[in-house]
Amino acid sequence: MGRLLTLMTGQWADIPLEELCPLVKKMGYDGVELATWGHIDVDKAASDMEYVKYVQGVLEKNGLKCYAIASHLIGQCVGDLWDPRLDGFAPANLAGKPDEIRKWAIEAMKNTARAAKNIGAKVVTGFMGSAVWKYFYSFPQTSEKMIEAAYQEQVDLWSPIFDVFDENGIKFALEVHPTEIAFDYYTTERLFKVFKNRPTLGLNFDPSHLIWQGVNPTIFLHDFIDKVYHVHMKDAYVNLDGKAGILGSHLTFGDTRRGWNFVSLGHGDVDFDKIIRELNAANYTGPLSVEWEDSGMDRIFGATEAAAFVRKCDFEPSKVAFDGALKNA
């Protein structure tokens, strides 16, 4: 269909933007979903147009554009319950200071909306965090009151942020994902309800986080299609062999003993044919952004192969009924 093909740069944050962009183009991509960790300083991009021109210049030099900004690490710090892992997502001087980390993250998310406007992107993808994810298994018992309070906390924290998004004409696309307030079908449904279906809040559809949970990505996409503002092309396989558990067994990603793993596109269980058909039916014209994650494969080989895979599977819908000619003249 010719939808724009982009690469989410978060897994490439160790490579400076000026070095990464020629590689992105060589691997076959039209643009990038720039990660706020490593490739765009949103505080600078929110107000320093010379810096914005620098970033745009690097992209233009390599025939690329930025169609979205990825704010996953910042967003996690807004709504999550603090533990030492969050220190790695925030400035080093805030380590061990939960209140300061949240305060920083809220302002950084507002600046991400301003940066997106300045850079020419319309969507910010990311996470929101959750005050209740750590209690997903209800023992000790997680009360309905605790869950209600956690959802309301997200409304209280994110509504002022979304006000700034609205001021700048930017949409926020939540990636439904474990550790988030919305991690599956029904938690997503509940999130939109508590936000009163606010148009600012939509989805970055990523099938890889659904399939291993047992959620059908095609059904999810069909039912929430009006809220899909961005699409991640990412694959995963499930390997429940009688030993491996669905919760991962504290085995690192890529360990072949795990009950599931993220893998390069086309190497997993996601049915991308059905996903493309749903996107076509809804006339989705946004980018298809490869978020490449596969601990068992060289990333340059994998991301190059993934680009070709998306080009091949992104077919156009038919303009005629296949049986339209089956009639007498």
Side-chain angles (χ1 to χ4, degrees):
M1 188 175 183
R3 274 176 282 245
L4 295 165
L5 175 60
T6 64
L7 180 72
M8 200 282 217
T9 70
Q11 290 73 23
W12 309 74
D14 57 312
I15 304 177
L17 185 65
E18 291 185 347
E19 296 178 24
L20 179 61
C21 284
L23 177 59
V24 171
K25 191 66 176 180
K26 183 179 179 180
M27 291 189 297
Y29 294 87
D30 304 314
V32 288
E33 176 189 349
L34 282 180
T36 56
W37 60 101
H39 295 130
I40 184 167
D41 183 330
V42 292
D43 293 330
K44 288 181 68 174
S47 58
D48 185 345
M49 293 308 295
E50 288 303 312
Y51 173 73
V52 170
K53 289 178 182 177
Y54 157 73
V55 174
Q56 290 174 328
V58 174
L59 297 175
E60 290 171 5
K61 179 181 177 181
N62 293 282
L64 302 171
K65 290 186 178 181
C66 174
Y67 296 99
I69 292 179
S71 65
H72 297 62
L73 306 192
I74 298 172
Q76 192 70 21
C77 293
V78 172
D80 214 16
L81 285 179
W82 180 87
D83 66 46
R85 297 174 300 171
L86 280 188
D87 289 348
F89 290 174
N93 64 305
L94 302 182
K97 302 175 182 178
D99 292 342
E100 292 299 311
I101 288 175
R102 175 169 284 178
K103 182 179 178 181
W104 160 79
I106 289 171
E107 293 308 308
M109 281 305 309
K110 292 176 181 178
N111 277 340
T112 303
R114 298 177 180 117
K117 179 182 179 180
N118 288 342
I119 208 76
K122 298 296 184 183
V123 174
V124 169
T125 62
F127 294 151
M128 298 176 73
S130 173
V132 78
W133 165 257
K134 293 178 175 63
Y135 312 136
F136 84 95
Y137 191 84
S138 196
F139 185 84
Q141 294 90 326
T142 306
S143 69
E144 179 62 21
K145 184 177 180 180
M146 292 173 68
I147 297 170
E148 288 179 358
Y151 274 86
Q152 185 58 48
E153 182 178 50
Q154 295 296 330
V155 174
D156 295 341
L157 288 169
W158 283 89
S159 291
I161 296 171
F162 290 158
D163 289 344
V164 177
F165 271 66
D166 289 342
E167 291 168 8
N168 289 277
I170 304 299
K171 302 292 188 184
F172 180 76
L174 171 67
E175 187 169 331
V176 172
H177 182 286
T179 76
E180 305 313 306
I181 192 68
F183 58 89
D184 62 9
Y185 188 104
Y186 292 112
T187 54
T188 301
E189 191 175 59
R190 186 169 185 165
L191 182 67
F192 289 138
K193 184 176 180 180
V194 298
F195 271 93
K196 296 180 170 52
N197 208 34
R198 182 170 181 166
T200 320
L201 173 62
L203 297 173
N204 175 41
F205 172 72
D206 187 326
S208 70
H209 304 303
L210 300 170
I211 194 165
W212 68 264
Q213 294 187 68
V215 178
N216 186 307
T218 308
I219 293 173
F220 184 96
L221 178 60
H222 177 85
D223 289 1
F224 291 110
I225 190 64
D226 290 343
K227 281 290 192 177
V228 172
Y229 298 158
H230 194 263
V231 172
H232 268 183
M233 299 292 278
K234 186 176 166 191
D235 211 344
Y237 74 78
V238 179
N239 178 40
L240 298 180
D241 59 2
K243 292 181 179 179
I246 202 68
L247 300 183
S249 308
H250 291 303
L251 299 171
T252 58
F253 286 122
D255 191 315
T256 57
R257 295 173 295 168
R258 281 177 57 92
W260 63 274
N261 261 308
F262 296 126
V263 288
S264 192
L265 287 167
H267 294 267
D269 297 323
V270 174
D271 190 333
F272 288 101
D273 179 90
K274 289 182 179 178
I275 287 171
I276 293 300
R277 290 176 188 274
E278 288 292 342
L279 294 175
N280 284 347
N283 195 33
Y284 172 81
T285 58
L288 300 177
S289 187
V290 170
E291 184 181 22
W292 193 86
E293 293 184 359
D294 188 332
S295 294
M297 183 184 291
D298 175 80
R299 64 180 174 178
I300 295 177
F301 173 89
T304 303
E305 182 189 55
F309 178 90
V310 176
R311 299 282 187 199
K312 183 177 180 179
C313 75
D314 186 24
F315 55 84
E316 293 189 12
S318 177
K319 296 179 174 61
V320 298
F322 74 89
D323 59 352
L326 301 181
K327 56 187 178 182
N328 291 323

